[in-house]
Amino acid sequence: MTKLTAAQHTEQVIKAYSKGDPRLVEVMKSVITHLHAIVTETNLTHEEWFDAIDFLTRTGQKCDNVRQEFILLSDTLGVSMLLEMINHRTGDRATEPTVFGPFHVDGSPQRRSGESIIDSPLPTDEPLEVFGRVLDTNSRPIRGATLDVWQVQSNGLYDVQQGASVRNLRGMFTSGDDGKFSFRTVRPVDYSVPDDGPVGEMLRGAKRHGYRPAHIHFVVSAPGHVPVTTHVFDAKSPYLNSDAVFGVRDSLVVSMENGKCEKDFTLEPVTRSGG
Ligand code: BEZ
Ligand code: FE
């Protein structure tokens, strides 16, 4: 009697998961194929597999209602950015998307054009004026677009990392007749993603740092257009080529020198297929 090969074994497992919802069957086939390939291609030992299980167990144990270590794992493995790229494929003219991140808060204060988003000034703050226009892909201004803005403080922490009720450096703006928006803030700083858990161990094991280059987060939306979740990065950051979460795109890097930062956002129209 001939012995079952590893490839035949994998086929058996795939077959056992071939009934049910077609999308589930498709995804399970891919998961099993790639998971089995990892084990065979690397000749994984039992000890290594148990180390991996221990790592994932501790990743789960690190999660609570404010800390999500699995999302951080997805971010630092480049999966979150890949999902963004696959699910928000827009044309060349639209502003490039990047990761959403864990520090967005719903219901930021609605602010007037030109208003400051600084609610709790810090001694290390460097003032910054941010301005630009929201445009369509024919370079026509979009009036009444919404810009949801949030960013890190000059101490390297988001407000929410200092307490659930602390609010600073957040705001919702509406573009004017000419598509223009502006607000006053502080220059964002480079900061580390939380690195005191299993993801931090992984980064150190790979000789990677946990820094994200200084940036301001934006979600820009307008009726009839595809919204974009994106950042504006400081061109002076030394971490542009080694972002811990692989989120930098050249088109999003701008000067934040001399207290000014200019960036236009371009939105695509929604197409009939859902855009
Ligand atoms: C952020 O930019 O806020 C962020 C993104 C991914 C992981 C951690 C932080
Ligand atoms: Fe951020």
Side-chain angles (χ1 to χ4, degrees):
M1 208 167 156
T2 51
K3 283 186 182 167
L4 204 69
T5 65
Q8 287 167 330
H9 167 72
T10 299
E11 278 310 312
Q12 268 191 0
V13 179
I14 290 170
K15 203 166 160 219
Y17 287 90
S18 63
K19 291 191 207 80
D21 177 75
R23 177 64 175 159
L24 182 65
V25 170
E26 183 187 357
V27 173
M28 285 303 285
K29 181 178 178 185
S30 187
V31 167
I32 294 162
T33 304
H34 291 284
L35 205 50
H36 283 221
I38 292 169
V39 176
T40 46
E41 283 169 19
T42 63
N43 282 314
L44 205 72
T45 65
H46 279 96
E47 199 187 357
E48 288 165 337
W49 184 236
F50 286 123
D51 279 350
I53 288 171
D54 176 58
F55 175 82
L56 292 174
T57 304
R58 289 184 296 107
T59 299
Q61 287 164 342
K62 195 74 188 167
C63 297
D64 56 31
N65 46 8
V66 283
R67 176 79 177 256
Q68 230 304 350
E69 194 77 355
F70 274 115
I71 295 183
L72 193 57
L73 185 59
S74 152
D75 295 336
T76 48
L77 288 174
V79 178
S80 304
M81 192 60 206
L82 184 60
L83 277 167
E84 197 60 53
M85 293 165 77
I86 300 297
N87 287 287
H88 295 111
R89 288 183 225 244
T90 41
D92 287 346
R93 307 188 72 166
T95 298
E96 283 189 278
T98 186
V99 287
F100 188 61
F103 299 122
H104 178 263
V105 172
D106 286 336
S108 280
Q110 183 72 47
R111 302 189 190 265
R112 279 172 290 107
S113 182
E115 200 180 317
S116 170
I117 61 170
I118 310 168
D119 286 326
S120 304
L122 296 172
T124 42
D125 286 352
E126 190 183 321
L128 184 73
E129 189 192 347
V130 182
F131 55 95
R133 289 173 308 158
V134 183
L135 305 169
D136 68 16
T137 44
N138 290 315
S139 304
R140 286 181 302 229
I142 303 178
R143 176 181 180 272
T146 300
L147 299 103
D148 187 348
V149 179
W150 70 104
Q151 68 163 87
V152 73
Q153 305 174 123
S154 61
N155 62 2
L157 294 171
Y158 280 82
D159 53 1
V160 288
Q161 292 177 290
Q162 301 197 172
S165 60
V166 183
R167 287 290 175 273
N168 192 24
L169 304 182
R170 296 177 187 274
M172 307 279 287
F173 292 87
T174 306
S175 63
D177 279 346
D178 40 12
K180 285 188 179 166
F181 69 89
S182 74
F183 59 92
R184 285 173 291 122
T185 183
V186 303
R187 189 172 185 171
V189 296
D190 305 315
Y191 66 88
S192 177
V193 299
D195 66 353
D196 58 342
V199 169
E201 280 171 36
M202 180 184 76
L203 292 173
R204 284 185 288 280
K207 307 277 181 254
R208 293 191 69 212
H209 62 73
Y211 275 85
R212 297 221 61 212
H215 58 271
I216 304 174
H217 291 257
F218 289 84
V219 176
V220 186
S221 56
H225 293 81
V226 183
V228 66
T229 296
T230 193
H231 301 355
V232 171
F233 291 95
D234 187 339
K236 265 279 151 73
S237 171
Y239 298 109
L240 289 170
N241 292 321
S242 59
D243 181 5
V245 307
F246 307 96
V248 179
R249 295 295 177 268
D250 289 348
S251 65
L252 305 177
V253 178
V254 298
S255 168
M256 295 191 185
E257 293 295 286
N258 305 315
K260 299 225 179 293
C261 163
E262 180 173 10
K263 174 71 184 152
D264 290 344
F265 297 98
T266 304
L267 302 183
E268 269 191 349
V270 174
T271 59
R272 230 178 281 171
S273 60

